[in-house]
Amino acid sequence: MNNKSNKSASSRYTIVALIVALLACIATGLLAAAKGVIALGLYTVQFPERLNNGLWISGGLVILGIAAYAIFEPGKFQRFITGRQARYGGNTLIASLAFIAILVVANTLAYKNPTPLADLTEDQSNTLAPELEAALETLPDKVHATGFFSQLPSDSAQELLDRIKSKSGGKFDYEFVDPNRDPQLARENNITGDGKILLEMSGRKEIAASASETEIFEALLRLINPEDRAIYFLIGHGERDTQEYNQETGSMTRAKEILESKNYTVKTLNLPAENKIPDDADLIIIAGPVQPITENEQKLLREYLAGGGSLIVMEDPLIVTDFGDQADPLAKLLLDDWGISINNDVVIDLDSSDPMIGTAASYPGPHAITRKMNNIITYFPLTRSLTIASAPENVQASLLIQTTPKSWGETNTAESNVAFDEAADIPGPMTLAVAADNTANNSRVVVFGTSQFATDQNFDQYGNGDLFANSVDWAAQQENLIELTPKQPVTRSFNPASQGRILFLMFIVAILMPYLRGTRRDDLASAPETGITCDETQRWYTCSHPRRGAGSVLPDQQPRETDRDCHHARTR
């Protein structure tokens, strides 16, 4: 009686242990699947440690449940693990685990060592440009790329970097960093926006503005072929300070850092004192002078530009300068030689959060400076407007930035309450930046109606820093070192079949094919049962049947379904 009672209690415990183990096994599987989804980056959880704890607990319950079953039912457990089903199941489990392990190892190796076998696209869109492949073959040292992307990973960027890595012979590797999670690293490397790629080789750094073949190719060329590129900031007229941070006056130390991070050599030029423009000057920047340049400086700048030099001018509205009624030789130079007029006004933008801040509503173009802006907005505090007059011969001027039509150029800056005066003010949209190049001597000019957009306080605001850097690259003729071989995209379109073709296909599928199949069945049904032949001279019988075809059967073997007629013929 006691034994029966003990067996009943043991049986209940066994069932409970099995149920616990089964539920824990299901929970373990679900939690493991969740870990896999998280590892692939398809889903994120706020507290990943809780998921890990749950996985450990469920796995422990599986072991405890099986152990309890083994304790309460040792005989059944022993038969289970030593029985035929356990052996077969174990073999199947081992084979499955081995298959999964092979898949995991193969995929891991393929992921770590991407080697594209073939590009089957018609336009070879997955093949690198030959110029980029040639640059990768000439890398003198290993290059490490760091992609700063706020959304990780960027599929298109990762695919491009994988292709570059596969063609580099082990000299190119990369990683992704979220600048929002590691702002210090982005700051240390002067990363001013999302989607930038930092390339490092032998202590040198170059920044690709985006994950494109052209950008990365140009950055690699600058790494492979380092050369001095000197930029001079003009001083002596109260320009923005690039050496020391000054919040009150609005310094431009941040702009200097960015240019140096792009391997430019940044210097200052006191033209009134030196009376000469250095021979190594690739670009001269005049940032926010509060006094006009002299006639002699105008002459030197004109000669410098005539020799193929480049100039960036950022002139603030007169109300924040000490120009007064003095003549502006620099403005005259721009108007006479380049057809660019710097208007004596202040832009009022009613579509901006602050009407005194001009907002870039559009980037007319295309132009190399704004092509890389990716529609990121830029701000221009307290700016004057520009106008393109009739451009001189060989000069091509382009609008870079315009405000919305709900803006105007206020010419009466003496009054505090401004309003649009149709008779005196300049109606919108207002032009805030212009670029021009002279095709005869290859000189270039970029003009802004304010220098405040590039000061330390505003440099990192949205696309301001990118706009400044792009302008410097274009003016210094570094924006397009070598053109990559263009890929002609293949346009594919779906052309629906004509009605006649559709009716013809429907006739074949719905009428002709069923009819032919029915005719075949009738032929088989009417085939004679005679004609079965068997060869008994061999160890097995070979035979044929007009409806079942050829077959064979051993003398001591039960006939299979397909050999029924052969067996029947032999025994008969």
Side-chain angles (χ1 to χ4, degrees), residues 16-90:
V16 171
L18 288 177
I19 292 175
V20 169
L22 177 62
L23 294 177
C25 186
I26 294 173
T28 302
L30 294 176
L31 291 173
K35 288 279 291 181
V37 171
I38 294 172
L40 294 174
L42 302 177
Y43 184 72
T44 57
V45 294
Q46 186 174 5
F47 303 104
E49 64 278 1
R50 295 182 181 178
L51 184 63
N52 295 331
N53 294 335
L55 191 60
W56 282 107
I57 293 173
S58 60
L61 288 176
V62 172
I63 297 174
L64 289 176
I66 294 175
Y69 177 77
I71 293 172
F72 292 118
E73 298 288 352
K76 292 182 179 179
F77 183 75
Q78 184 177 9
R79 287 195 297 275
F80 174 76
I81 62 174
T82 58
R84 186 174 60 180
Q85 292 183 346
R87 290 200 301 274
Y88 293 158

Side-chain angles (χ1 to χ4, degrees), residues 248-567:
E248 183 178 352
T249 60
S251 55
M252 289 181 61
T253 59
R254 182 73 176 137
K256 179 173 179 285
E257 289 178 2
I258 293 298
L259 296 181
E260 290 177 339
S261 70
K262 295 169 73 68
N263 295 318
Y264 286 107
T265 301
V266 180
K267 304 177 182 178
T268 57
L269 172 62
N270 193 335
L271 195 54
E274 300 179 17
N275 198 30
K276 178 184 177 184
I277 295 178
D279 296 335
D280 64 342
D282 292 300
L283 171 66
I284 294 176
I285 299 177
I286 304 176
V290 296
Q291 290 285 348
I293 65 173
T294 64
E295 294 289 343
N296 183 54
E297 290 175 281
Q298 182 206 57
K299 174 176 175 290
L300 293 173
L301 289 173
R302 176 172 281 127
E303 293 173 352
Y304 167 71
L305 291 172
S310 298
L311 184 67
I312 291 181
V313 177
M314 295 181 280
E315 276 210 353
D316 295 312
L318 295 181
I319 58 174
V320 296
T321 69
D322 297 331
F323 277 45
D325 296 330
Q326 302 178 75
D328 186 354
L330 180 58
K332 189 175 187 305
L333 167 66
L334 294 174
L335 181 60
D336 294 344
D337 295 3
W338 297 88
I340 301 173
S341 173
I342 304 178
N343 301 321
N344 184 16
D345 60 2
V346 175
V347 173
I348 307 297
D349 189 352
L350 297 183
D351 275 338
S352 177
S353 58
D354 184 346
M356 300 300 289
I357 300 177
T359 303
S362 64
Y363 298 109
H367 194 277
I369 294 177
T370 54
R371 183 182 59 206
K372 305 173 185 177
M373 293 303 297
N374 299 322
N375 294 323
I376 299 177
I377 201 168
T378 46
Y379 292 104
F380 299 84
L382 200 60
T383 179
R384 58 203 298 185
S385 67
L386 308 173
T387 303
I388 297 180
S390 58
E393 187 179 2
N394 300 324
V395 172
Q396 296 179 349
S398 304
L399 302 177
L400 294 182
I401 297 167
Q402 281 191 315
T403 62
T404 66
K406 295 175 66 175
S407 59
W408 72 89
E410 179 63 45
T411 57
N412 187 4
T413 56
E415 296 183 1
S416 57
N417 296 326
V418 297
F420 179 66
D421 184 349
E422 187 174 355
D425 295 334
I426 305 173
M430 309 305 297
T431 299
L432 306 183
V434 173
D437 63 296
N438 189 318
T439 56
N441 54 29
N442 207 27
S443 56
R444 294 182 173 182
V445 163
V446 183
V447 183
F448 295 93
T450 180
S451 62
Q452 293 203 30
F453 84 99
T455 59
D456 292 334
Q457 290 78 17
N458 301 309
F459 192 87
D460 293 319
Q461 297 295 324
Y462 292 85
N464 284 16
D466 292 337
L467 179 66
F468 175 80
N470 294 346
S471 301
V472 170
D473 287 340
W474 182 81
Q477 304 187 26
Q478 298 292 318
E479 88 289 357
N480 200 4
L481 298 177
I482 296 179
E483 290 284 356
L484 293 182
T485 302
K487 296 177 180 177
Q488 297 297 331
V490 177
T491 303
R492 297 180 176 85
S493 59
F494 174 72
N495 298 319
S498 63
Q499 291 185 352
R501 185 172 297 179
I502 293 175
L503 291 175
F504 178 70
L505 293 174
M506 291 179 63
F507 169 75
I508 293 177
V509 174
I511 299 177
L512 183 60
M513 293 181 66
Y515 171 75
L516 294 176
R517 183 174 179 78
T519 303
R520 172 64 177 166
R521 285 180 176 175
D522 293 342
D523 293 342
L524 292 176
S526 60
E529 291 292 340
T530 59
I532 302 174
T533 58
C534 296
D535 181 7
E536 298 185 13
T537 61
Q538 306 294 330
R539 290 181 58 193
W540 55 82
Y541 297 91
T542 59
C543 48
S544 63
H545 189 280
R547 291 168 54 187
R548 298 183 182 275
S552 63
V553 62
L554 293 174
D556 57 347
Q557 189 179 40
Q558 291 295 326
R560 290 172 296 179
E561 185 66 22
T562 56
D563 303 323
R564 183 180 307 162
D565 293 321
C566 294
H567 179 73

